[in-house]
Amino acid sequence: MLLPGVPRIRRRVGVRPAIDTPFGPLTFTTTLGYTGLPLLPDELFELPGGRTVARWVHPAARVELLLTPHDPELDPEEWGPLTGCQAAVWRIDALAPLGRVQFSAGLPLPLPEDADAGWDGGQGLCAITVDDERTRLTVGGHDEEAICWAADKGEAPRRWAALIDEVHDHSFSSWGVDCVGSHAISWTLPSLEAGDHCELPVMAAWAPVTDESANTWYAVTASPTVLLGQVAAEPAKRSDAPEAG
């Protein structure tokens, strides 16, 4: 379960969870086996700071999606300021063995005619960047190496750490991370056993294209642990703040 200690209010489910970006909403899908979960969640909760957690309940799994503003705290002496930055943390708790789980994040098609879009990954990051000569948007998350590293952080099943050999010799075929065209990223997970859980981050950052500091790329490299830690810390900061007056 995501952020069990953070206060929340149940809200009516009315719209599909999404991150608003300059190139349209970044939306998310989950497929268990070969069956996609509904676009609308079963439950929706509002957290402090305008954050939300959506929840899908399935006989084989519980799936949650946190949407939150994200401050990557880029060094202003090295990186230009961002126009915006939002993050998602997707979590699945397996209630039964799952041989195939797929999660994806994508922008709407068609992209603007004047936009240049393509793969922009590296160093543990799978990313796409869209640039229309005014705004640069980068969407990113874990690549295969980072998924294996996440096993050592408790963000994924421990046995996934051994799959790093498959990444390095390119022998794996049943799981992996792929860019879908120039507008989406798809994560197909290694198999899950009952009781397993996995957390994946997805971030979107945008800035004027006149800034050449690659700030949007570095802004989308946070781990789920960092993102969840920021959210958990904020209510505590608010409760410690002196009362006005």
Side-chain angles (χ1 to χ4, degrees), residues 2-243:
L2 289 173
L3 300 166
V6 175
R8 61 190 62 202
I9 300 172
R10 186 185 296 271
R11 295 300 189 193
R12 181 179 66 86
V13 177
V15 297
R16 182 181 183 181
I19 291 175
D20 290 327
T21 82
F23 295 98
L26 181 71
T27 56
F28 308 90
T29 61
T30 299
T31 302
L32 304 180
Y34 292 92
T35 302
L37 294 184
L39 300 183
L40 295 183
D42 297 303
E43 298 175 290
L44 181 68
F45 303 92
E46 181 182 344
L47 277 61
R51 301 170 173 92
T52 60
V53 170
R55 179 182 295 155
W56 290 259
V57 180
H58 183 276
R62 182 178 63 212
V63 175
E64 294 181 307
L65 181 70
L66 166 73
L67 300 182
T68 176
H70 175 49
D71 180 5
E73 299 182 351
L74 301 178
D75 185 345
E77 295 185 1
E78 188 171 1
W79 313 110
L82 298 169
T83 306
C85 188
Q86 299 283 322
V89 175
W90 175 90
R91 174 171 171 132
I92 182 167
D93 287 274
L95 306 177
L98 291 168
R100 183 180 184 274
V101 175
Q102 190 173 63
F103 171 64
S104 64
L107 297 167
L109 290 175
L111 295 173
E113 291 185 0
D114 60 347
D116 181 21
W119 181 84
D120 194 19
Q123 300 179 15
L125 181 73
C126 182
I128 54 174
T129 291
V130 184
D131 173 351
D132 68 354
E133 299 184 356
R134 295 177 297 277
T135 299
R136 180 177 64 252
L137 166 72
T138 300
V139 176
H142 282 353
D143 69 3
E144 291 92 352
E145 278 192 320
I147 288 174
C148 295
W149 298 335
D152 291 326
K153 302 175 183 177
E155 299 166 352
R158 177 71 65 179
R159 65 183 179 280
W160 289 8
L163 300 178
I164 194 70
D165 293 335
E166 297 184 4
V167 176
H168 289 159
D169 67 15
H170 305 287
S171 66
F172 63 93
S173 60
S174 61
W175 70 279
V177 185
D178 298 292
C179 286
V180 182
S182 299
H183 71 287
I185 302 173
S186 176
W187 291 264
T188 301
L189 301 183
S191 61
L192 292 158
E193 300 296 334
D196 284 347
H197 80 272
C198 175
E199 295 169 352
L200 291 177
V202 183
M203 285 153 282
W206 55 98
V209 295
T210 51
D211 188 315
E212 299 180 355
S213 67
N215 52 353
T216 60
W217 195 92
Y218 282 91
V220 300
T221 58
S223 72
T225 298
V226 169
L227 295 170
L228 294 173
Q230 288 181 348
V231 178
E234 184 163 315
K237 289 180 180 178
R238 290 185 179 185
S239 65
D240 291 341
E243 295 184 4

